[in-house]
Amino acid sequence: MDLHIKTMAEYAAEGKSPEVLFWVGCAGSFDDRAKKITKAFCKILNKIGVEFAVLGQEESCTGDPAKRAGNEFVFQMMALTNIEVLNAYDVKKIVTACPHCFNTLKNEYPSLGGNFEVIHHTQFLRKLMEEGRLKIEGGAFRGKKITFHDPCYLGRANGEYEAPRMLLEKLDAELVEMKRCKTNGLCCGAGGAQMFKEPERGIKDINIERTEEALALGPKVIATGCPFCNTMMTDGVKHFNKNEEVVVKDIVELLAEAEDL
């Protein structure tokens, strides 16, 4: 109840602009599990005094699932509507906790007139840490074994592998890498709009294969940087009945817990 987050409309009414717009995304807005990631990120920004805003009811889906499913027309309709709203507020800098939103806003919107500086939340937190505005201590995760699952749209699509790992290392945790990681990472199975449909028939679901790799390392935590990956890996852990022993958490949740927020 004490987590008040201002909207761009409220800032505009005051004649001010925030440092950054937080693009929450569909998962972060509506999925009960992903809402916790959204809240954790907002708590950290509030604590260190970063001025940020959300679009609130003016935010719509970026159109990523429609585009990946092959409906370019619907994608462009959604994108142009969002660009109109963003340009009306003269938005320059966007941060998002969803790599799908990140990739679409960063790489697909410029050709439609949406030119913004777009950063993933792990990149933003790393920058705040390097500027001395964010201080991270190990807390409850000191010495615990953590493995990080690279989101496809953050890693292989946009070449960002170091920011999430730097944040995890600051927790003084024991970071262990899966055999398939970084440029050789394996998808969780939710990309390309696959999140919203049943998998095709086969020998094994991708998220089960990926979770198997993670569990083989004996981690206490499987860290993610994407709400879709979080869902898929959580389902995988439940499949192996390991949810009492292993938790799946977004990096920002780990940071918030370490800071006791």
Side-chain angles (χ1 to χ4, degrees), residues 98-156:
C98 176
H100 297 256
C101 296
F102 166 68
N103 181 69
T104 305
L105 292 166
K106 181 174 183 280
N107 299 320
E108 312 284 0
Y109 275 33
S111 64
L112 298 170
N115 296 289
F116 316 104
E117 181 190 354
V118 187
I119 44 181
H120 187 249
H121 70 324
T122 58
Q123 295 174 321
F124 188 58
L125 292 171
R126 174 189 178 178
K127 186 169 178 288
L128 292 172
M129 185 181 70
E130 289 171 346
E131 291 171 353
R133 297 167 70 185
L134 174 64
K135 292 179 173 57
I136 302 167
E137 294 180 9
F141 300 100
R142 185 171 283 118
K144 288 192 175 176
K145 193 180 281 189
I146 297 177
T147 190
F148 176 64
H149 165 74
D150 286 286
C152 293
Y153 279 119
L154 180 64
R156 288 179 299 169

Side-chain angles (χ1 to χ4, degrees), residues 184-237:
N184 193 37
L186 179 68
C187 177
C188 72
Q194 298 295 309
M195 179 80 173
F196 308 105
K197 60 181 279 296
E198 292 302 313
E200 284 86 0
R201 293 175 67 182
I203 299 169
K204 188 191 293 183
D205 288 351
I206 295 176
N207 69 313
I208 302 303
E209 172 89 10
R210 188 56 166 163
T211 307
E212 215 167 28
E213 280 189 26
L215 293 176
L217 299 169
K220 288 290 181 189
V221 180
I222 299 173
T224 63
C226 170
F228 287 11
C229 295
N230 195 298
T231 295
M232 300 300 274
M233 299 302 281
T234 298
D235 287 351
V237 169

